[in-house]
Every structure is written in C-alpha cells, then in structure tokens.
Amino acid sequence: MIAYPALPVLALALAALLFKSTLLSAAQVVSRARARTFLVPEDARLMRTTVTDREAPFVVRCGAVWRNDLENIPFFLIAALTFALLGGAADAAAWWFGAFVAVRYLHTAIYLRGLQPARTVAYLTGLALTWGVVISSLALAARAL
C-alpha cells in the first residue's frame, strides 16, 4: 500500500460518490411514488395506478442530475485512479478528491433546486478539479520517465 498512498483516499471518494448516487436514486423513487407517475407499465401496475406519459418535474430533474454525473464523474475517477497508480501523495489526493466530492454534492443540491448561475459555477469547479488531477498525474508520469 505504501507504493500507492492515494489509493485509500480514492476508495473513500468512490464510496462517497456512490452514496450520493444512491441518495439521488432514492429521491427519484420517492418522488415518483409520491407523484404516482409511472412511464413503465409494470411499475404502474405494482403501484396500482395507470401509466402516465410524462414524469413528475422533480423526477425529470433527478434524471438530469444523473446524466450530468455520468458525463463528469467517470472522467474524474479515471484521473484519480491514474494519480493513485502513479504514486500520488495521500495528502494531495485528500485535497483533490475531497474537493471534487464536495463540489459534486453541492452541484447536486444546486441542480435539484434549479439555481443558476450557481450550478454552472459548481460544474466548472468540478471540471477544474478534474483537470487539476490530470495535470498532477502528468507531472507524476513525467517524473517517472
């Protein structure tokens, strides 16, 4: 583990991001059940209601957050894994990875509330943090050559 001191930090970041996704999924399920809007016939049957042609607004917003996460988090995780495998320091990883996780939680809360321009600022901050990890990884790779 000494060769990869950032790996435990990456594991914590991964768990925190998975937890956030789980909370978002639960919020979507609860919102759909409360609104009694189901697009899928078997879901409507399970809840003893009829199929609808449109999701509840909050369910739609949760779906938008999911898509945004899927467009951004995988790139960060690949960059973070690269950083860890190149022997990045645990304290640097704690800063980079912790900041990214915090910004993604914040981004989710902001997106669910429909707040602009805060959503864009949170998105751009997450993107900058991802690039920071990439650049740090490139520096580690250059030293290894």
Side-chain angles (χ1 to χ4, degrees):
M1 194 58 79
I2 301 215
Y4 306 108
L7 211 48
V9 181
L10 175 58
L12 290 172
L14 178 61
L17 291 168
L18 178 60
F19 183 69
K20 184 187 85 62
S21 294
T22 302
L23 288 176
L24 180 62
S25 180
Q28 194 172 26
V29 168
V30 168
S31 178
R32 186 176 284 127
R34 283 184 179 165
R36 302 193 52 76
T37 57
F38 300 93
L39 301 177
V40 181
E42 60 271 19
D43 294 346
R45 273 195 310 274
L46 177 69
M47 299 304 290
R48 295 188 164 99
T49 189
T50 58
V51 175
T52 59
D53 61 346
R54 136 177 17 154
E55 292 276 21
F58 190 76
V59 175
V60 171
R61 192 164 286 277
C62 287
V65 174
W66 262 106
R67 284 187 299 282
N68 189 278
D69 281 351
L70 291 174
E71 293 167 356
N72 291 279
I73 292 174
F75 288 113
F76 171 79
L77 290 174
I78 291 167
L81 179 61
T82 302
F83 180 85
L85 293 177
L86 286 169
D91 59 343
W95 190 91
W96 288 115
F97 303 176
F100 181 83
V101 168
V103 165
R104 288 312 297 185
Y105 269 81
L106 184 61
H107 178 269
T108 296
I110 289 167
Y111 207 138
L112 290 176
R113 298 185 91 169
L115 304 175
Q116 274 292 20
R119 188 179 92 210
T120 299
V121 171
Y123 163 76
L124 291 173
T125 302
L127 185 60
L129 289 164
T130 300
W131 272 107
V133 174
V134 169
I135 291 166
S136 295
S137 296
L138 290 172
L140 289 169
R143 274 187 260 162
L145 292 177

